[in-house]
Amino acid sequence: MHQFSYLKAKSLADAAALAKANPEAKLMSGGMTLLPTLKQGLAQPSHLIDIGGLKELSGIEVKGDVLSIGAVTRHYDVASSAAVAKAIPALSYLANQIGDPQVRNRGTIGGSVANNDPAADYPSAVLALNATIVTDRREIAADDFFQGMFATALEEGEIVVRIVFPLPKRAAYEKFPHPASGYAMAGVFIAETAAGVRVAVTGAGPGVFRWSDAEKALAGGLKAGALDALTVDATDLNEDFHATREYRANLVQVMGKRALQKLLA
Amino acid sequence: MAKIQLTVNGASHTREVEDRTLLVDLLRDHLGLTGTHIGCDTSQCGCCTVHVDGRAVKSCTMLAAQVNGATVVTIEGMASGDKLHPVQQAFTDCHALQCGFCTPGMIMATAALLKDNPQPTDEEIYHGLEGNLCRCTGYINIVKAVKQAAQTLK
Ligand SMILES: Cc1cc2nc3c(=O)[nH]c(=O)nc-3n(C[C@H](O)[C@H](O)[C@H](O)COP(=O)(O)OP(=O)(O)OC[C@H]3O[C@@H](n4cnc5c(N)ncnc54)[C@H](O)[C@@H]3O)c2cc1C
Ligand code: FES
Ligand code: FES
């Protein structure tokens, strides 16, 4: 790894000030994406600003009809939280499917959402559940936040503070994991929300997206077999040495049907 | 440079290291604890698994600076004198190793798994050891060893 300076932020304000003072710095939360990236020489920040464990960015709370999760909350803490299991069981399930135990013990929801890996799990939940991303500057709706491969609405030095999920009536997630990494080859999150049924797909395209055909098919009610007649257009999906775009299109359909089955079970 | 104070296997250490130093390099190169292995450069193999404040982590994917003030347990801290830890004993009894390169990480991951879930099913063992690869592919005996260790620790 190239040389950098490590800075431990003392507070959210301190982290923001450090980011402002050091334009070539990068924020580090769990480091489970950032450190491998640095090891491969794919990024060369001047400083790492460690925000892991900051109090203002921690905690899981259900208040009224929303679940709020602090940005530095680890996947393990989401997966093992009784509050999350009660409020949005599909989210606990999703968190427990990320990577492996060691990754879940370090990686955080804020890091995953800010990174917006096209094969990451959380973005599908954030988008389908119509969550809000709260930063140190503003609140961003999920529909505006994710902007394609590794791209988000975050500005230079903007820090994700927490993610706020409105509680759905019900929700389910199914993914086909890559057998080596665990990342989603295709993952489908279906949520019955106050704003209607929302379906988000990760892993298959260049970034998480809403599957509008499935949303239309489910708009009249969540019924078994409602997705059976759909086909998925492969044109804009990812193709790489793991899978062709046609294979991914098929996986989206299968994961969608499985998620629906699970939701109705 | 970063000044790191940490407790490893019960002993307190203070070292001054470059900011970019990985925990695994601090353990191996600065503290001489070479039982923790490095098997990949991509955070995937789990050979480098140690416990930080009681939880299994990949020490190749943490900076030494991130464990400042923490308590670390490595494979060297598992046995008590000549008496192997029940997980180590189970790996020996069940012939759960061939070349042995993945073994320290497997043992640390198993010990962490059994702490969270003392009586795992086969499926739960596969899920719990997802982050550890054995290049000799001796998984069947590894799963046997996890079950034996679970019995002993009961
Ligand atoms: C072997 C392995 C397997 C994995 N498998 C999966 C998987 O199956 N599914 C999955 O979804 N993920 C997977 N991951 C990724 C893992 O979930 C990461 O933890 C996660 O993507 C990033 O979280 P982090 O806290 O580690 O972020 P970091 O690595 O610390 O940061 C990632 C990026 O986000 C930025 N950032 C971090 N926090 C904030 C913040 N609060 N505000 C603004 N920017 C911020 C950083 O600057 C950096 O650019 C895997 C990782 C590994 C190593
Ligand atoms: S050496 Fe750490 S995961 Fe392979
Ligand atoms: S025993 Fe050789 S790598 Fe596992």
Side-chain angles (χ1 to χ4, degrees), chain A residues 1-6 28 31-32 35-36 39 48 50 76 96-97 99-102 104-106 181, chain B residues 18-20 22 41 43-44 49 55-58 60-63 65-66 109 116 127-128 130-132:
Chain A
M1 269 197 294
H2 83 295
Q3 295 276 7
F4 53 77
S5 300
Y6 170 90
M28 176 166 66
M32 291 308 294
L35 292 175
K39 286 211 243 172
L48 294 191
D50 190 353
Y76 166 78
N96 197 36
Q97 302 307 311
D100 56 54
Q102 293 95 319
R104 293 193 290 276
N105 281 339
R106 297 293 313 160
S181 72
Chain B
E18 281 187 346
D19 289 17
R20 64 176 168 176
L22 297 170
D41 207 17
S43 313
Q44 271 168 333
T49 303
R55 307 231 34 103
V57 303
K58 292 177 177 174
C60 72
T61 315
M62 265 187 98
L63 297 175
Q66 287 174 288
D116 279 355
H127 191 62
E130 194 101 57
N132 294 74

Side-chain angles (χ1 to χ4, degrees), chain A residues 212-227:
Chain A
S212 46
D213 287 349
E215 292 184 356
K216 275 185 217 126
L218 296 171
L222 298 171
K223 289 195 197 75
L227 299 179

